[in-house]
Structures are given as C-alpha cells and as structure tokens.
Amino acid sequence: MSTHNVWTHKGTFLLAAVGSAVGLGNLWRFPYLTGENGGGAFILIYALTIFAVGIPILIAEIMLGRNSRCSPIMGMRFLTRTHQTSRSWESIGWLGAASAFLILSFYSVIAGWAIHYTGLMFTGALIDVDAAGVGQSFDALLASPGLLTLYHTLFIAASALIVGLGIHKGIEAGLRVLMPSLFVILLVVLSYGAIIGDLGAAASFLFTFNLADLSLEGWLQAMGQSFFTLSLGMGAIMAYGAYMPGEASLTRTAFSIAVVDTAVAMVAGLAIFSLVFGAGLDPGEGPGLMFVTLPLAFAEMPGGALVGGAFFILVLGAAISSSISLIEPVAAFLVERFDMTRPQAVAIMVIASWALGLLTVLSFNLWAEGTLFHTLFGRSPFAFIELLTNIFMPLGGLLIALFAGWALTHAEVMKEMRTNERWFRIWRFLVRFVAPAAVAFVFLRSIPQVEGYLIPAIGAVVIVGAFAAGRTFLADDSQEL
Ligand code: TRP
C-alpha cells in the first residue's frame, strides 16, 4: 500500500511545504483582507492564531503523513487500523481530497488573472491609463469567459505537468528553481516599494495594533486566513509529510514553515501598501487590491511596468508551487488505490477540477446573477465553492488535531517530534483543546449574523465533543495520560 517515496534531501520537505503555504493567500488574500479590516489589529489576531493553532495543527498533520507514509486517504485508513479507532476518522482523508479538488478549481482561475496582468505590465498597456481605465480593464477581463478559460487552462496544465513528472523530477526540481527566484523578486519589489513608495505609511498601517478597529467578522476572517495560508486541514501537508525522512525534526520544520510564510505575507504587505500609499490610493479595495489598485500604482511610477511584470511573475510562481500541492494528495491516492500510473492519476484529478473551474469562470460573467443556482443557494457558484472550502478546511483541521491529539500514543508522538516532555505537553494541550475551540470560532464565519454569545457556547460544545470523541472512538490503550 505504501509508496515509500522519500524526498532526496532533508530540506526538501521544508521547501515543498513552504511552496505550498506561500501562494495567493500571502500575496493576494492577506493584503486585501488586512486592507479591508483596518491593518494592524487584523495582523495581531492572524499572527496569534498562526502560532497558537496553526503550528500545532501543522505538526499534527505532518506527523500523520510521516507516520503512515501514504496519501491522506490511504494513510488515514492505515492509521485507523493500527490504532483500532473508528473508521469514521477516514473522513479526514476524504474531506481533504474534496477540499483539494474544490480549491484547485477556483485557485487556478484566479491565478490565471496573473497571467493576464503579467502581459499587461510588460507590454506597458496600462501606462498613463487613469483609475477608471484600469478598473475597466479588470472588469473587461472578468466579463470574458473565453479569456478566463484560456488562462485557467494554461495555469492548471502547467501545474499538472510538474506533478505528472513525479515527486523528484517534477516537484523537487521545479521548486528548487522556483522558490529562490520568488524570494529574489519579492525583495526587489520591496526595495522598489521602499524607494519609490511610502514605506513609513505602509509600516504604520500594518503594525499599529488597535484591537478596537476589528469587527467580529474581522476576527473570524483573520483566523480563517491563518488556516488557508498554511495550507492546513486538507491533506496537502500530510501528503508531503509522507515523503519526509524520519530523522528530520518536526517541531523545527513546522516552526520554520510558519515563520517563512508569515514573513512573506508581511513583506508582500509592506511592498504592496508602500506602493498603494505612495500613489495616494485606497487600501480597502477588497479582492481588486492586487488587480486594480496595484496595477494603477505601478502604472504611475517610473519603471513600474518592469517591476510590475516581475511582481505578477512572482504571483504566478507562488500560485503554481501551491497548486501542485493541491494535486499531489489526490494523485497519490489514485496511484496507490487503483494502481494507475502517475500521469493518468494527475490527468483525472486535473481534468475534473478544470471542469469544475468553469463554474467559477462563469460566476464572473454569464452566471454572475439571476440563475437557478442563485435561487437555490443564494450566491454564485464560485461563492458557493469558496464557502464549502471555508467549512471543509477548518473541519479537516479540527479532525486532524483531535486524531493526532487523542489517538496517537505518547511514544509515537515523541518519536516523531523528537522533543522534550514539556514541549510535548504544550503541543498536546494545544491540539486537544485550544485548536478545537479556535476552529469553532472560524466556523462562525459561515453562519451569518451570529450574536456574540454564540462564540463561547460553540467553543464549549466543541471542547466537550473533543472529550466525548476521545472516549468513544479510541481504544483505552492509546490513552496514556
Ligand atoms: N496556502 C495557499 C496560499 O496561501 C493556499 C492553500 C490553501 C493551499 N489550502 C491549500 C495550497 C492546500 C495548497 C494546499 O495561497
């Protein structure tokens, strides 16, 4: 059942996990959410969640992967057998596969926009165009199903090619070129922003922590974002963890992933807001921040076309290193379960996800409103798919935390973590109680118009549920308190 593949180098897991974590979430979603939610206060909650909840779940997820040495679905099947727990824990694998499939479908469409903007920047098409013109050009892109489908196809095909070549020749080799180049471009864009834009304004916007600025919705979005940005709760990290050599330290690796991911988000935020403030534009533009506000800032600045083009290549590279980690868990499962060749497995996953992506494409134009879908679900297909992933990811994270916290034995965890008893206890407390309670918060995002008192109530229910699950599902011999 096991594939027994292992990364060539000790550091490759870190490279791959950072590649997965750093993506549109850091460069596109993080800056616009921060902009919409008033800056520093949002970042404070985001950073706290990363360290108190994200890192413990990250450790749990890598641990499950490395312990089972299989794709998430087969891996969870193996772990439920060896730990004599209920087979319902296998839902972790299935939920992950479903989220990967859903996220890839829209991730690829949005990444495709960056292909368009790379072209617009390098050709100088936006130079001297005014704000209305830049906005119209974005609207025109969204209004064209043909163009969106073309970019979506190009992006997903490129990702499929890399994964199809295998974990060594494709993923490892690709990441080894991609990741260092991305860091160089990021630093170039930051320096450019610092010289030409207003770094001081950006820094004070990002690092002035005034909690009163933050709405309940802002809190929930900050926590949801910390899951999304670390690629948590859906098996991507588990699949990569399965290829991790046994001797690499889990705690240190998980910590490094979180630190690098957060640093990239901060640097991207500083660079983007320096340019936006330097050009006297509004930071609270929402999803259009990267595709309308930022191109406008570039258009007005000397050398902006060139640096802007490099910036969108950075976006593309970061997105592709994430999308390959969305394909890998499902492809690895198809290979293990149905004995397919890797190219066949990748093709099936990618073609299905591509087809689903067409719904996202149409959600921006022909099906933007007034369809039967809107009548049934009250939102566009894209918004619906995003909502599903916003539910599945935290749910997956919750189950992973509970399984790793309650089902794995003390000895197993110590073997994987290679740490001292104190860290072990802190970690276990966090995955058993703190992470489940925090996930309950994140869920509230998908329940509209909740009253404040529901939060503690749901937190309490989840904690009690965690206990109940621990008692019911798990064999007594796995509980060494
Ligand atoms: N972390 C990615 C980003 O920041 C997005 C993402 C979410 C993801 N879940 C994932 C990537 C799972 C790969 C696998 O853009």
Side-chain angles (χ1 to χ4, degrees), residues 20-21 23-26 103 107 228-231 234 236 322 325-326 393:
S20 169
L24 294 176
N26 305 59
I103 295 180
Y107 204 80
F228 188 82
T229 193
L230 290 180
S231 307
M234 44 145 305
S322 296
S325 79
L326 288 163
M393 286 183 68

Side-chain angles (χ1 to χ4, degrees), residues 23-39 42-43 46 106 110 113 138 205-206 214 217-218 221-222 225 228 265 268-270 272-273 276 282-294 311 364 382 386 390 445:
L24 294 176
N26 305 59
L27 302 174
W28 169 68
R29 207 159 177 258
F30 171 79
Y32 92 69
L33 286 177
T34 310
E36 277 184 335
N37 289 291
F42 178 88
I43 294 191
Y46 162 85
F106 70 79
I110 295 175
W113 301 350
F138 185 52
F205 180 66
L206 291 178
L214 205 57
E217 174 66 13
Q221 287 197 333
Q225 169 65 9
F228 188 82
L270 278 176
I272 290 175
F273 288 119
V276 169
D282 172 19
E285 204 37 61
L289 178 69
M290 177 184 284
F291 297 105
V292 179
T293 315
L294 195 62
F311 175 80
F364 292 106
F382 166 57
E386 217 198 350
N390 281 337
R445 245 197 94 186

Side-chain angles (χ1 to χ4, degrees), residues 382-463:
F382 166 57
F384 184 72
I385 293 171
E386 217 198 350
L387 176 71
L388 280 184
T389 60
N390 281 337
I391 298 173
F392 287 2
M393 286 183 68
L395 191 60
L398 170 72
L399 294 175
I400 287 169
L402 292 178
F403 188 84
W406 295 96
L408 297 185
T409 62
H410 185 188
E412 274 171 318
V413 175
M414 289 305 276
K415 182 182 125 238
E416 297 291 351
M417 273 177 80
R418 299 164 173 273
T419 181
N420 59 33
E421 190 63 27
R422 195 168 56 115
W423 282 114
F424 166 75
R425 287 192 178 278
I426 295 177
W427 171 79
R428 201 174 55 179
F429 175 72
L430 290 172
V431 288
R432 281 187 169 181
F433 305 108
V434 178
V439 170
F441 276 116
V442 178
F443 270 127
L444 292 184
R445 245 197 94 186
S446 29
I447 310 170
Q449 278 130 32
V450 266
E451 303 285 346
Y453 64 82
L454 269 180
I455 298 177
I458 294 192
V461 168
V462 170
I463 292 179

Side-chain angles (χ1 to χ4, degrees), residues 3 5 96 115 118 149 190 203 205 215 232 238 297 337 341 357 369 425 439 453 458 472:
T3 48
N5 266 325
I115 303 181
T118 309
T149 306
L190 177 68
F205 180 66
S215 60
L232 283 183
M238 215 190 283
R337 177 73 182 76
T341 65
E369 53 203 358
R425 287 192 178 278
V439 170
Y453 64 82
I458 294 192
T472 329

